[in-house]
Amino acid sequence: MPDNFRTGNEEVDRQFGDTIPVPTLMLIEGGHGTGKSAMVALFMKGLLDSDKKVLCITENTVKEYIENMKAITYNFSSAFLQNKLTIMPLHVYGIKWNKEQSAHLLPVISKYISNSFKETNVVIIDSLSLLTVFSDPTKILDFFTQCKYLVASGMTVIITIHPNDIPPDIAQRVTGSVDVYLQLGSTNVGGKDVKTCKIIKLIGAETTPESGFAFEVDQIFGIKVVPISMANA
């Protein structure tokens, strides 16, 4: 049954039409330093606050991830200790992935997510880069098809990607398959460096969302919306 959640950040919630529908398949695209992990952390906080159990697959170690998020005001220590949040690092100390092994990562992660269905309401992958670098287009499409199936069964899946993580010949099919598609970037307006979030697609919003907004990643407030018109950004 469709539901929704709030991030807890009123300024951000307003940009998304007050609430974000779940279950959903969300894709957040952006280059390095555009605030993808911070945006995901904000969504994760809102989902945890609404009593969802979250599996976070990250390129960082558990300690690094918790400390990095704590540095921008998102403290997930309690959720982690209470088993509401599971953090799965993709990098394992002492193991070096070769091309052949890396090509199998995406199907393995897909199976792991499917097997976690009963214990997890939300899966977050931050980011997909390591999983797709040696994957062929068919495996990538199969992965997103599996994600759609899980969402139809009640799981929310949030994925961050870099602009070139998905081959151009299938990129449109992938972005067309998701329920929420955000493009993050950065710009300079009036001498001020800001990050931008363009809401390309948001299916199921209670009210019409904004087309996008500018924001900063603040060490006290986390995501802080900047009152700059996206028309100027």
Side-chain angles (χ1 to χ4, degrees):
M1 180 178 178
D3 197 359
N4 53 61
F5 77 97
R6 289 183 170 86
T7 68
N9 182 320
E10 291 184 6
E11 292 182 338
V12 174
D13 287 337
R14 197 175 300 119
Q15 308 303 317
F16 287 100
D18 294 327
T19 61
I20 298 173
V22 289
T24 191
L25 176 54
M26 180 186 296
L27 189 64
I28 304 174
E29 178 185 322
H32 290 286
T34 54
K36 295 188 300 298
S37 293
M39 190 68 71
V40 163
L42 176 63
F43 293 150
M44 184 157 70
K45 179 184 180 299
L47 287 160
L48 287 167
D49 287 346
S50 61
D51 295 324
K52 305 296 185 186
K53 294 194 73 173
V54 179
L55 166 64
C56 179
I57 301 171
T58 172
E59 296 177 351
N60 297 312
T61 66
V62 173
K63 182 179 179 181
E64 286 171 345
Y65 187 81
I66 289 178
E67 290 299 321
N68 288 345
M69 294 305 103
K70 194 181 294 184
I72 54 171
T73 205
Y74 302 115
N75 191 342
F76 296 121
S77 299
S78 295
F80 178 72
L81 293 172
Q82 294 169 7
N83 287 327
K84 295 179 180 177
L85 169 63
T86 301
I87 300 174
M88 177 184 168
L90 286 174
H91 286 293
V92 181
Y93 180 76
I95 294 180
K96 294 183 179 180
W97 297 100
N98 59 35
K99 183 176 180 179
E100 184 178 350
Q101 291 170 326
S102 297
H104 294 291
L105 270 176
L106 195 58
V108 168
I109 292 297
S110 180
K111 186 174 182 180
Y112 180 81
I113 292 171
S114 298
N115 290 340
S116 303
F117 181 79
K118 291 183 179 180
E119 295 82 28
T120 303
N121 307 118
V122 181
V123 171
I124 293 172
I125 303 177
D126 185 24
S127 72
L128 201 65
S129 301
L130 188 63
L131 301 176
T132 60
V133 64
F134 294 119
S135 293
D136 61 60
T138 300
K139 284 189 173 68
I140 295 173
L141 287 173
D142 286 347
F143 172 75
F144 277 93
T145 299
Q146 178 65 16
C147 288
K148 287 292 288 183
Y149 171 77
L150 292 171
V151 170
S153 301
M155 179 183 279
T156 288
V157 182
I158 301 175
I159 301 168
T160 71
I161 62 170
H162 292 90
N164 299 318
D165 284 350
I166 297 174
D169 54 326
I170 65 167
Q172 190 170 353
R173 293 170 65 183
V174 169
T175 57
S177 71
V178 303
D179 304 305
V180 181
Y181 178 31
L182 310 178
Q183 281 186 342
L184 304 192
S186 57
T187 189
N188 185 286
V189 181
K192 184 180 183 66
D193 291 325
V194 296
K195 304 180 192 305
T196 58
C197 175
K198 293 184 179 180
I199 303 172
I200 307 298
K201 182 197 292 187
L202 204 170
I203 296 175
E206 289 189 344
T207 60
T208 304
E210 298 292 332
S211 60
F213 58 95
F215 68 97
E216 296 175 326
V217 179
D218 188 276
Q219 291 186 349
I220 297 175
F221 298 103
I223 298 289
K224 183 179 180 183
V225 174
V226 177
I228 297 174
S229 171
M230 283 295 293
N232 296 326

